[in-house]
Amino acid sequence: MISRRRFIEVSGVASVVAASGRLAAASAADKCSDTFLPPSLAALKSRKSEAAPITREERGGRQERARELMRENALDAIVLMEGTSLKYFTGIVWWGGERLFALVFPAKGSAFYVCPAFEEGRAYEQIANGPDGERPDVRVWQEDENPYQRVAQGLKERGLSSGKVGMEETVHFVFANGIAQAAPQATLTSATPVTAGCRMTKSPHEIALMRLASHVTLTAYEAVYHALREGMTQQQVEDLIAAAYGQLGFPGEASVQVGEYSALPHGSSTPQVIREGSIVVVDDGCAVEGYQSDITRTFVLGKIPELSGDKMRKVFDIVHRAQAAALAAARPGVECGSVDAAARKLITDAGYGPDYKYFSHRLGHGMGMDMHEWPYLVRGNTTKLAANMTFSDEPGIYIRSEFGIRLEDDMHITENGAELFTPQSPSLENPFGKG
């Protein structure tokens, strides 16, 4: 799981890794051995047995819901390719590069797949575990053939040559354009009303997986917090976090920003070292059966500096109250934008405004199988919250050249309000609320 934050760090961190060296547990084998782990990490136990996979029957129910939404949105079919929506509806995890692998899913009638001929075995192996796994319609194409003709032929056989076909939002232009050329009478449009319409509202099973992911992330962060020492590099801390997730049984990562670089919401590629009294921001999450967490904790290593301590504590308190204000504002029937407004007003009224000056990003994003997905808690979004939607709740104040503080927990909209999957961080000195 490579996050949207990590890509900016790769080139800059490489040099400090070479210069400073890695943790004693440099190899993957070492990292998995309790012999090389700090005590707080070695004590972690796997929680993998707590995660129940999504079933074929659940995916079948999702497909039926998709058909309902297709009819409501006057779509005759949708096209899914590699990515989380394909996995959401079928369980298929696909990487195809420049070769077309597609599921064409009509509002009425049977679905069909278009697959490179040499990948046919891999396709059948994965399709077998999905809702239509018993007798799937798989149409293969050889390397010198036009795969888009297979799509056009399947649409024609189902009477959809001139139909309205929704393209999943992450489908590359080259594929959409190829289908448009092969089926010129069809109208291609967005499938987002269907895909996001299904995925925005989570089932109890999905909520349970996301709750577990959040708990695992907070557990990993706390274990690493107790293992931190002055002089550690970002990379060393990130290695510890990866090792903690390994102990807990799930893939995960985190970005780490220190001191003045914490004022950059998505961090810096500049190599950084943790010092006594430094603000440290740890952010990102893990995946549990494909469902994401996204949590940020901000704290100080050791004692808060006397000269800047009061300001740090004041800003932390404002951000803490803003996160609580957003939580209190979130409930079924209110607009997404109003939740952002609740947090932003508190921060502005506390002297850190106007507008995006210090709180420089939206309050939060929808979450699920993607760390960022529909809908978004941002000004102007009139989408109304509904029970079992899930979001990040992540206000922040960023003071350039000084420090930044962000608090982020994952939020579940309930029948009557909202809850955080994990407790709010109490303070800079005691970020996990323990003695």
Side-chain angles (χ1 to χ4, degrees):
M1 179 182 67
I2 301 299
S3 75
R4 74 280 187 199
R5 297 182 176 100
R6 289 299 302 276
F7 79 95
I8 65 172
E9 300 175 13
V10 174
S11 61
V13 169
S15 61
V16 76
V17 171
S20 305
R22 305 294 287 269
L23 292 171
S27 70
D30 288 344
K31 288 178 188 176
C32 294
S33 170
D34 288 356
T35 305
F36 294 92
L37 290 177
S40 59
L41 273 70
L44 297 174
K45 304 299 181 185
S46 175
R47 300 186 65 179
K48 196 166 181 61
S49 63
E50 299 176 43
I54 300 295
T55 66
R56 177 189 294 191
E57 290 70 27
E58 287 175 287
R59 297 192 197 281
R62 294 169 178 182
Q63 291 191 5
E64 288 308 308
R65 175 59 178 154
R67 286 193 166 99
E68 292 175 7
L69 290 174
M70 279 189 260
R71 290 190 286 269
E72 290 176 14
N73 290 276
L75 288 173
D76 296 301
I78 61 173
V79 177
L80 305 177
M81 296 187 191
E82 59 184 87
T84 45
S85 284
L86 180 67
K87 183 179 180 182
Y88 176 87
F89 288 108
T90 68
I92 296 172
V93 178
W94 196 265
W95 181 88
E98 75 280 9
R99 294 181 176 94
L100 181 135
F101 175 88
L103 165 61
V104 182
F105 188 68
K108 297 178 181 179
S110 61
F112 66 93
Y113 296 84
V114 176
C115 175
F118 78 96
E119 296 273 37
E120 186 176 7
R122 180 162 74 106
Y124 273 108
E125 182 179 72
Q126 293 206 54
I127 294 168
N129 297 316
D132 55 358
E134 294 182 4
R135 288 178 290 181
D137 180 352
V138 180
R139 295 152 187 252
V140 301
W141 56 278
Q142 297 295 344
E143 294 278 60
D144 61 344
E145 294 180 323
N146 183 345
Y148 308 110
Q149 293 297 335
R150 298 289 192 274
V151 176
Q153 181 63 30
L155 291 172
K156 181 178 179 181
E157 291 173 6
R158 286 158 176 75
L160 301 178
S161 292
S162 58
K164 192 175 181 181
V165 179
M167 306 297 294
E168 201 272 338
E169 64 183 298
T170 62
V171 171
H172 293 170
F173 174 78
V174 65
F175 296 135
N177 187 57
I179 293 172
Q181 296 296 322
Q185 292 181 310
T187 300
L188 301 190
T189 187
S190 172
T192 297
V194 176
T195 55
C198 289
R199 292 175 57 182
M200 280 193 300
T201 303
K202 309 300 189 291
S203 70
H205 187 177
E206 290 176 292
I207 294 294
L209 292 173
M210 295 183 70
R211 189 186 303 277
L212 177 57
S214 289
H215 289 177
V216 165
T217 292
L218 201 61
T219 299
Y221 285 5
E222 183 176 0
V224 170
Y225 172 73
H226 291 298
L228 292 182
R229 299 292 182 268
E230 186 174 20
M232 281 185 172
T233 66
Q234 291 168 289
Q235 187 63 57
Q236 288 175 321
V237 179
E238 289 168 8
D239 285 346
L240 282 174
I241 290 167
Y245 279 129
Q247 290 287 99
L248 290 161
F250 300 100
E253 63 175 11
S255 63
V256 178
Q257 304 301 322
V258 182
E260 65 183 288
Y261 299 104
S262 63
L264 304 175
H266 278 181
S268 167
S269 61
T270 302
Q272 301 158 44
V273 177
I274 297 176
R275 302 298 182 194
E276 176 85 12
S278 297
I279 285 270
V280 180
V281 176
V282 180
D283 181 28
D284 266 317
C286 69
V288 172
E289 290 296 328
Y291 285 83
Q292 308 291 327
S293 62
D294 190 7
I295 292 177
T296 304
R297 286 295 178 264
T298 303
F299 52 84
V300 169
L301 180 66
K303 295 182 179 179
I304 294 180
E306 291 186 10
L307 292 178
S308 57
D310 288 346
K311 185 175 185 179
M312 288 180 178
R313 291 188 183 95
K314 176 186 175 182
V315 170
F316 184 97
D317 177 67
I318 295 167
V319 173
H320 190 279
R321 289 188 287 118
Q323 189 186 41
L327 180 68
R331 60 186 182 277
V334 307
E335 294 182 356
C336 286
S338 68
V339 184
D340 177 282
R344 198 166 301 280
K345 182 178 188 303
L346 192 147
I347 288 173
T348 299
D349 289 351
Y352 286 92
D355 208 25
Y356 290 93
K357 183 176 181 180
Y358 292 99
F359 179 14
S360 54
H361 53 76
R362 66 194 172 204
L363 173 74
H365 49 83
M367 295 183 61
M369 292 182 70
D370 287 319
M371 189 179 283
H372 288 204
E373 60 181 48
W374 300 95
Y376 298 95
L377 301 177
V378 63
R379 177 186 298 159
N381 187 355
T382 59
T383 301
K384 292 187 177 179
L385 301 186
N388 295 322
M389 286 182 173
T390 50
F391 301 90
S392 67
D393 179 358
E394 52 177 308
I397 292 174
Y398 309 95
I399 305 170
R400 291 297 179 95
S401 302
E402 292 188 44
F403 64 87
I405 290 177
R406 179 169 65 255
L407 298 177
E408 179 181 17
D409 294 277
D410 301 336
M411 180 170 64
H412 164 220
I413 308 303
T414 64
E415 294 293 336
N416 301 307
E419 62 162 354
L420 298 178
F421 289 142
T422 43
Q424 283 188 280
S425 179
S427 68
L428 286 171
E429 301 99 320
N430 189 19
F432 300 97
K434 305 292 176 66

